[in-house]
Amino acid sequence: MKYFYLFTLFAAIISLMSCKTTTNNNMNTVYNFTALSNKGKEVNFADYKGKVLLVVNTASKCGFTPQYDGLEALYQKYKDQGLVVIGFPCDQFGHQEPGTDEQIEEFCRLNHGVTFPLMSKIEVNGEGAHPIYQWLKSQAGFAGFNPEHPLTKILDEMFTKADPDYASKPDIKWNFTKFLISREGNVVCRFEPTTEPQEMEESIEKELKKQ
């Protein structure tokens, strides 16, 4: 119990440090990357210059899958102001995204009304991690689980058992980790799965107001 309280305090501190405007001294931005859409078409992220991006690794059979609804709500509310939500399906966490790109799109559309862009399924950790996720992790490390979320204690115990030092490593911990990217193409915040979409609105609005 003592460890858990220390962990939550540490996580909160990391989260505060992580969610801030970054200065990209090496001029390496999200605009340097491409990825395949779920239709197999190459997407150049330079086409999103001037937009605020929310990049999320997703899964269809996860306890966090209902966040699709919140993500779509954010997209509908703010897309006319310049927000683009981009989903990257990934099957690296509990084999919770086993479907094809076509099956994933159908599931998202029928069950959650998703209209924001979905990319082709990728890996986000390990040697096969997509370059855009290698970059995202280099820009923002683990932000800490929300101490008030009911799943935080379970997640902490699971990851601590596998690696007591997990919180110091930038790897994506689970589905629905979210990266907020500024109009200049820089990572502004990283939000872990225990941060619900509506809890990001203040940070999103702050970025949208910047021109």
Side-chain angles (χ1 to χ4, degrees):
M1 184 63 69
K2 179 180 178 181
Y3 172 78
F4 175 67
Y5 287 128
L6 288 173
F7 165 78
T8 55
L9 176 62
F10 177 63
I13 293 172
I14 292 178
S15 181
L16 288 172
M17 294 174 62
S18 176
C19 193
K20 61 182 180 181
T21 302
T22 57
T23 301
N24 205 315
N25 294 323
N26 62 6
M27 301 302 290
N28 190 18
T29 69
V30 73
Y31 307 136
N32 294 89
F33 299 96
T34 62
L36 290 180
S37 74
N38 64 351
K39 303 295 186 185
K41 179 181 178 181
E42 184 175 79
V43 175
N44 189 335
F45 275 71
D47 293 340
Y48 291 117
K49 283 185 177 179
K51 301 288 187 179
V52 173
L53 306 183
L54 187 64
V55 178
V56 190
N57 63 298
T58 62
S60 300
K61 300 180 182 295
C62 176
F64 294 104
T65 298
Q67 289 191 15
Y68 266 129
D69 295 322
L71 293 169
E72 177 64 20
L74 288 176
Y75 181 56
Q76 291 299 326
K77 183 175 181 178
Y78 294 111
K79 64 179 182 179
D80 290 341
Q81 298 178 45
L83 176 69
V84 181
V85 179
I86 302 174
F88 277 93
C90 177
D91 193 38
Q92 285 189 289
F93 305 101
H95 193 42
Q96 294 178 343
E97 189 59 285
T100 64
D101 288 341
E102 293 78 12
Q103 291 169 334
I104 293 167
E105 180 181 32
E106 182 178 26
F107 169 85
C108 292
R109 178 174 53 82
L110 293 178
N111 293 280
H112 301 284
V114 168
T115 62
F116 58 77
L118 293 172
M119 310 303 287
S120 184
K121 189 159 62 174
I122 63 166
E123 293 186 357
V124 298
N125 287 333
E127 293 183 1
H130 192 283
I132 197 169
Y133 265 85
Q134 294 179 30
W135 175 76
L136 288 169
K137 292 182 292 183
S138 76
Q139 299 299 295
F142 177 57
F145 294 126
N146 179 358
E148 298 180 359
H149 196 283
L151 292 179
T152 288
K153 187 175 181 180
I154 296 172
L155 291 169
D156 174 50
E157 290 176 349
M158 177 177 71
F159 291 123
T160 298
K161 184 176 181 180
D163 179 5
D165 196 35
Y166 82 90
S168 69
K169 299 176 181 177
D171 289 11
I172 304 300
K173 307 307 181 193
W174 207 253
N175 306 306
F176 291 89
T177 300
K178 300 162 277 285
F179 291 87
L180 182 63
I181 299 175
S182 72
R183 294 186 188 273
E184 291 75 36
N186 298 316
V187 173
V188 177
C189 297
R190 170 172 167 167
F191 301 95
E192 300 304 326
T194 52
T195 298
E196 296 293 330
Q198 65 270 20
E199 296 176 302
M200 301 183 293
E201 282 202 56
E202 183 177 349
S203 296
I204 291 170
E205 289 178 354
K206 181 179 178 180
E207 290 306 311
L208 287 171
K209 289 176 182 177
K210 299 177 181 178
Q211 297 295 332

